[in-house]
């Protein structure tokens, strides 16, 4: 029990650094107060290996298990802001990873379904989110390119790995009026937002370059 409490500690030093991180993200242009508040609330250092704890509040991506990364906080904030999450939203996330983005979506009150392709991360993050009290609707170990037909359509879809091409099945799982935010490209990705106008029409808008670990095709 004592070890658990130590592990889960979120002290004044962490909180102070977190506020500084929020200021940096604001300076970079994110204005949505709910998103900034979520970043200010969630103890990012607990989502990382303890050897990186001192770096948790830098605005950088860091390694997690299975050769993956926890996304840069600015990127998380930027993608989340584009989604305009409300409490009524059912959201599909592709790439659970550390669970940090999942926690941001939960903090905003969304019903979150998240898919991860690395079994090790799926297991670890499922346990961890439960331990710190975030309750996504469901997590899944599987291939995000396929989406999650059982729970579709979704109000919002967020892809947190770099997609070499647009996964068509994901677009098909978006509600009319819903939006999907996805970084598309091979070495560098262009942040792209699709808004579904009708069964067959989508609006597309691009938001500049980002770098993500690749969205890999099914290995199972
Ligand atoms: N949202 C995560 C970002 C992790 S990096 C976070 O906040 O920590 C991207 C994640 O996408 C990695 O965990 C990687 O394993 C996962 N991924 C890559 N290809 C995938 C696929 N086809 N389906 C589901 N997840 C995938």
């Amino acid at each position: 029990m004592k070890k658990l409490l130590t592990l889960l500690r979120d002290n004044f030093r962490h909180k102070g650094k977190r506020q500084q991180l929020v200021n940096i993200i604001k300076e970079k242009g994110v204005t949505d107060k709910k998103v900034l508040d979520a970043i200010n609330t969630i103890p990012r250092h607990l989502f990382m290996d303890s050897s990186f704890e001192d770096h948790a509040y830098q605005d950088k991506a860091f390694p997690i298990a299975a050769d993956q990364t926890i996304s840069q906080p600015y990127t998380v904030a930027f993608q989340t802001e584009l989604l305009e999450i409300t409490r009524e939203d059912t959201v599909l996330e592709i790439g659970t990873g550390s669970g940090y983005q999942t926690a941001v979506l939960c903090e905003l009150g969304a019903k979150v379904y998240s898919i991860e392709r690395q079994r090790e991360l799926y297991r670890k993050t499922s346990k961890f989110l439960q331990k710190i009290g975030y309750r996504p609707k469901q997590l899944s170990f599987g291939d995000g390119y396929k989406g999650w037909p059982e729970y579709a359509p979704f109000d919002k879809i967020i892809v947190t790995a770099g997609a070499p091409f647009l996964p068509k099945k994901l677009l098909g799982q978006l509600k009319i009026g819903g939006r999907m935010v996805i970084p598309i490209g091979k070495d560098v990705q262009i942040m792209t937002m699709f808004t579904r106008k009708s069964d067959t029409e989508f609006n597309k808008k691009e938001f500049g370059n980002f770098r993500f670990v690749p969205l890999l095709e099914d290995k199972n």
Side-chain angles (χ1 to χ4, degrees):
M1 190 61 191
K2 200 164 173 204
K3 189 168 170 226
L4 185 68
L5 287 176
T6 313
L7 278 173
L8 293 181
R9 201 166 48 197
D10 185 30
N11 62 30
F12 282 106
R13 195 170 56 90
H14 298 123
K15 288 178 181 152
K17 284 189 179 176
R18 204 145 66 229
Q19 181 61 61
Q20 287 170 12
L21 172 64
V22 168
N23 293 341
I24 291 170
I25 294 171
K26 257 194 215 169
E27 278 162 25
K28 291 185 178 174
V30 173
T31 57
D32 187 325
K33 180 153 186 320
K34 285 189 192 144
V35 173
L36 294 169
D37 284 350
I39 304 274
N40 212 356
T41 303
I42 300 169
R44 184 177 192 245
H45 62 282
L46 300 178
F47 291 73
M48 294 166 58
D49 193 282
S50 55
S51 54
F52 292 113
E53 194 185 313
D54 284 346
H55 305 290
Y57 295 106
Q58 293 176 19
D59 190 23
K60 284 187 184 160
F62 278 98
I64 51 174
D67 284 335
Q68 301 304 320
T69 57
I70 177 170
S71 299
Q72 184 182 346
Y74 167 70
T75 306
V76 172
F78 187 76
Q79 283 193 279
T80 310
E81 182 171 61
L82 285 179
L83 285 171
E84 293 185 1
I85 301 290
T86 72
R87 304 191 78 82
E88 285 74 44
D89 282 344
T90 299
V91 182
L92 175 65
E93 177 190 26
I94 309 300
T96 316
S98 69
Y100 181 70
Q101 172 76 68
T102 318
V104 170
L105 296 167
C106 290
E107 191 65 44
L108 294 171
K111 296 164 204 68
V112 186
Y113 294 84
S114 184
I115 304 175
E116 171 56 52
R117 173 184 171 280
Q118 300 282 351
R119 189 186 290 274
E120 181 189 352
L121 282 172
Y122 161 72
R123 285 210 181 118
K124 198 173 156 193
T125 300
S126 302
K127 278 197 204 131
F128 172 69
L129 285 173
Q130 198 170 28
K131 193 166 80 179
I132 63 166
Y134 283 106
R135 305 254 180 278
K137 278 276 177 192
Q138 215 163 309
L139 301 179
S140 152
F141 165 59
D143 178 16
Y145 277 93
K146 300 189 176 102
W148 205 332
E150 291 88 337
Y151 295 106
F154 298 95
D155 298 289
K156 310 282 162 68
I157 298 178
I158 177 170
V159 179
T160 70
F165 56 87
L166 174 64
K168 289 277 156 50
K169 284 190 180 154
L170 293 184
L171 274 188
Q173 293 180 20
L174 203 55
K175 273 187 198 165
I176 293 174
R179 44 177 74 179
M180 169 159 97
V181 173
I182 176 171
I184 303 179
K186 293 214 168 79
D187 299 329
V188 179
Q189 293 83 34
I190 300 177
M191 193 62 77
T192 311
M193 181 166 82
F194 292 91
T195 309
R196 188 165 200 170
K197 294 290 166 195
S198 70
D199 271 350
T200 52
E201 290 164 292
F202 294 85
N203 268 359
K204 179 180 169 184
K205 218 170 157 184
E206 294 182 335
F207 296 89
N209 291 349
F210 288 79
R211 262 176 211 278
F212 285 80
V213 292
L215 184 71
L216 297 171
E217 292 189 67
D218 204 0
K219 61 166 187 178
N220 306 302

